[in-house]
Amino acid sequence: MNTVFKIFLSMSFSGGLVILALLLGKQFLKDKISRQWQYYIWLVVVLRLLLPFGPEINLLGKTYQALDQAITRDGPLPAPQQSLSDTQGSVPVPAAGTGHNKEDGNSPMDGPAAVHPFQDIETLLTNHVWLVWPAVAVVLLIRKITIYQSFIRYIKAGVTPISDLGMLDRLSMIAEQASVKKPVELCVNPLISSPLLTGFFNPCIVLPNASIPEKDFQYIVLHELTHYKRRDIYYKWLVQITVCLHWFNPLVHLMSREITKACEFSCDEAVLARAGNHNAQDYGKTLLDVMAAIGRYRENPGAVSFSKNKQLLKARLGAIMKYKEQSMAVKILTATLTLCVVLGASFVGIYTMGNAGASSLPNRPPDTSGSSPLSPDISSAAVKVPETTDMDQYDEAGVKTIPIDFKTVEAKEAIFLGEYTLSFGDKIYYDILAETGNAMTVFFARDKEKNTFYWAAHNQRQPDGPLKCTADFTVGPPSTKPGTYKLYLQADEGALGNVTGSISIVMTDAS
């Protein structure tokens, strides 16, 4: 499975946990904490769902590691391919693709192994099924944009600019009081169901009709200007993008509905904070007056309307009547909860290469008990022998350390690191870091079995992370046997730069 999709799945799962926590907390704190806080705290969840960053040590690190291993372990085995001819004479070039997990002694020169066509199809589908995710996301986003454009065309087709100087003067005065400096248009469209705000860069307040009482007009305009000042249109579209990307997660759709409701509640609260809670009754009456005229066109999620629907009206009126300024205790509680949500969203964690472990391979983790049936893609590898190979002796503790220090490993180049005799129970440790490059593979091979690779570790660079290989294996039956093996380091995707570290082999008695 694609690593990017694994990361995204973990982001969706982590975000879902935070969504559940907030929904649970809402049941207890709905009437005790600011509605504006209940609106903006969802931004923390949106960021958790969109940003692929998290601490190395996190709450669900082990869970993601176990899930990753379960996913990769169930994946089909890639088909073997024929090895290439030896480019260095006596130095074998590892085969392209993946070899069988067999030790039948067949030479790769005898021809490629037969592969069942259904195995190829199964491998292809498994390796590329993740592409359904971005395809659906793009389709959904295009659909939302298309619907929004259709809605805007509908609004513009039936809109008429208001030329009443008195209304325009009142609009300017309210905008000045709300600290909105950008000019805001005022129009009327009799087909809309309630006043709304449109326009990312050129805001326009659209009214169902121009015969609105002065007091209602003041509250309606102040409400829509509050939406504009808070950039609620941008917030709503950020949520829509998040929903498209996480279309498979029902909790994200639930979050979207909660944000839509919280947007109106918080805007009501902001209006009353500016107008004063002694005007709550008049503002509630304005809501009722607005809902008296219902148009025929359903508002689009990209626009910001004064009153979304009748179902919300009762709840909004109740919240308006209960509005009061926050006490210091509530402000302290709000700050504490904000810190808890931010830290929780961060430390719940996402999938990283650190979670998966360096020994994980593209389709299956290495078999720590013996040979790995997976081989690196080294279809055009050139084999290079290091200038210094002083690696032949074990130290007094029974440990053989193979130093790794290369300025450059060219793309598809396989560095031959020596030939070693291994026995059952011997331990093998990889600890290698590449400063530049996208992927590398470390593996053992045998002369007569060039299509079989042992103790292979394939590693890819993760976003904002190093390219490193830290893996450990034990030589043991049934898939391996004592004998002489040749060790390689391969640059898989582009050249590697400043490759350092070591490979250690610990004798059975020493371990």
Side-chain angles (χ1 to χ4, degrees):
M1 184 181 293
N2 183 272
T3 302
V4 174
F5 187 49
K6 290 179 183 178
I7 293 174
F8 215 86
L9 281 176
S10 70
M11 291 162 55
S12 194
F13 182 71
S14 296
L17 290 180
V18 183
I19 292 172
L20 287 175
L22 286 178
L23 291 176
L24 182 63
K26 177 187 172 183
Q27 303 304 316
F28 299 98
L29 302 171
K30 178 173 59 176
D31 297 326
K32 299 179 178 65
I33 294 184
S34 165
R35 294 285 185 169
Q36 295 189 66
W37 182 88
Q38 295 181 44
Y39 175 53
Y40 285 111
I41 196 62
W42 289 108
L43 272 174
V44 177
V45 186
V46 171
L47 293 178
R48 172 69 289 166
L49 291 166
L50 294 180
L51 299 181
F53 305 110
E56 286 291 331
I57 301 176
N58 56 69
L59 182 64
L60 296 177
K62 292 295 183 181
T63 302
Y64 291 139
Q65 179 181 359
L67 290 175
D68 175 59
Q69 292 177 350
I71 292 172
T72 54
R73 188 178 297 114
D74 292 337
L77 202 62
Q81 299 181 15
Q82 185 176 4
S83 67
L84 300 178
S85 59
D86 196 334
T87 61
Q88 293 286 341
S90 62
V91 181
V93 178
T98 303
H100 283 299
N101 186 16
K102 294 181 180 180
E103 301 197 29
D104 53 11
N106 291 337
S107 170
M109 297 305 162
D110 294 337
V115 181
H116 199 283
F118 289 109
Q119 184 178 357
D120 284 341
I121 296 174
E122 182 183 1
T123 301
L124 181 65
L125 292 176
T126 303
N127 290 342
H128 296 87
V129 68
W130 67 273
L131 291 174
V132 173
W133 156 59
V136 174
V138 169
V139 170
L140 289 176
L141 183 59
I142 292 175
R143 179 177 180 271
K144 286 181 180 293
I145 293 174
T146 302
I147 293 175
Y148 178 72
Q149 290 176 332
S150 175
F151 170 72
I152 293 299
R153 284 195 297 268
Y154 171 86
I155 295 296
K156 289 183 176 180
V159 79
T160 302
I162 292 179
S163 58
D164 187 313
L165 294 179
M167 296 182 69
L168 295 177
D169 286 341
R170 292 200 299 274
L171 171 62
S172 298
M173 291 177 60
I174 298 171
E176 184 177 354
Q177 293 173 1
S179 301
V180 175
K181 298 180 180 180
K182 189 177 181 65
V184 179
E185 296 183 58
L186 186 63
C187 301
V188 62
N189 186 332
L191 297 180
I192 63 174
S193 60
S194 67
L196 55 86
L197 175 72
T198 61
F200 284 91
F201 307 107
N202 298 307
C204 177
I205 297 175
V206 185
L207 305 175
N209 59 76
S211 58
I212 298 177
E214 182 175 348
K215 184 172 290 188
D216 287 351
F217 178 81
Q218 177 183 352
Y219 289 128
I220 289 171
V221 170
L222 183 58
H223 183 100
E224 298 304 333
L225 289 177
T226 301
H227 278 308
Y228 170 72
K229 187 176 180 180
R230 301 191 316 174
R231 301 294 189 268
D232 284 338
I233 291 181
Y234 294 93
Y235 190 174
K236 284 198 168 188
W237 272 105
L238 182 64
V239 173
Q240 294 304 311
I241 292 172
T242 305
V243 170
C244 291
L245 290 173
H246 294 268
W247 54 267
F248 51 85
N249 189 340
L251 290 173
V252 175
H253 294 272
L254 182 59
M255 178 194 72
S256 176
R257 291 194 291 270
E258 288 295 321
I259 291 175
T260 299
K261 291 188 292 184
C263 178
E264 294 304 320
F265 281 105
S266 66
C267 193
D268 292 339
E269 186 178 83
V271 169
L272 289 177
R274 182 173 293 276
N277 57 358
H278 59 279
N279 291 312
Q281 187 172 355
D282 291 338
Y283 183 62
K285 184 177 181 300
T286 298
L287 274 182
L288 292 172
D289 292 341
V290 167
M291 292 301 295
I294 299 298
R296 298 192 299 270
Y297 197 92
R298 183 180 179 183
E299 276 75 15
N300 184 274
V304 185
S305 63
F306 184 83
S307 183
K308 192 69 180 175
N309 53 50
K310 291 182 178 180
Q311 287 75 16
L312 280 178
L313 180 59
K314 183 177 179 180
R316 289 177 64 186
L317 288 173
I320 290 170
M321 295 300 107
K322 295 177 182 178
Y323 171 77
K324 59 182 179 179
E325 294 185 1
Q326 291 185 11
S327 64
M328 182 56 66
V330 172
K331 290 181 180 179
I332 294 175
L333 176 61
T334 300
T336 303
L337 287 175
T338 302
L339 182 62
C340 291
V341 173
V342 171
L343 292 178
S346 174
F347 286 99
V348 71
I350 64 170
Y351 172 91
T352 63
M353 184 56 73
N355 295 141
S359 61
S360 62
L361 294 172
N363 291 296
R364 184 179 296 183
D367 183 358
T368 57
S369 65
S371 66
S372 170
L374 299 176
S375 67
D377 181 11
I378 46 178
S379 56
S380 58
V383 175
K384 175 181 177 182
V385 181
E387 295 180 2
T388 59
T389 56
D390 186 16
M391 322 167 179
D392 300 327
Q393 300 299 323
Y394 288 90
D395 61 19
E396 295 180 356
V399 179
K400 180 179 295 183
T401 301
I402 305 155
I404 306 297
D405 188 7
F406 300 103
K407 292 295 182 183
T408 304
V409 180
E410 299 297 334
K412 296 299 181 180
E413 182 179 49
I415 301 292
F416 173 59
L417 301 175
E419 190 171 25
Y420 306 96
T421 300
L422 301 176
S423 303
F424 282 157
D426 286 356
K427 304 287 187 180
I428 301 170
Y429 299 93
Y430 299 152
D431 186 8
I432 305 170
L433 178 67
E435 187 174 310
T436 60
N438 295 321
M440 67 171 154
T441 303
V442 183
F443 61 95
F444 285 82
R446 303 186 74 171
D447 272 340
K448 295 182 179 181
E449 299 168 359
K450 295 179 183 178
N451 273 7
T452 302
F453 296 83
Y454 300 86
W455 311 291
H458 174 83
N459 304 93
Q460 290 185 312
R461 182 180 299 278
Q462 297 302 301
D464 297 327
L467 174 56
K468 59 183 178 180
C469 174
T470 53
D472 61 90
F473 306 91
T474 301
V475 179
S479 54
T480 57
K481 59 185 178 182
T484 301
Y485 296 83
K486 294 186 176 182
L487 178 61
Y488 296 90
L489 185 150
Q490 159 86 25
D492 295 325
E493 299 178 14
L496 302 176
N498 294 329
V499 185
T500 58
S502 65
I503 298 173
S504 300
I505 301 174
V506 182
M507 295 176 61
T508 306
D509 296 337
S511 59

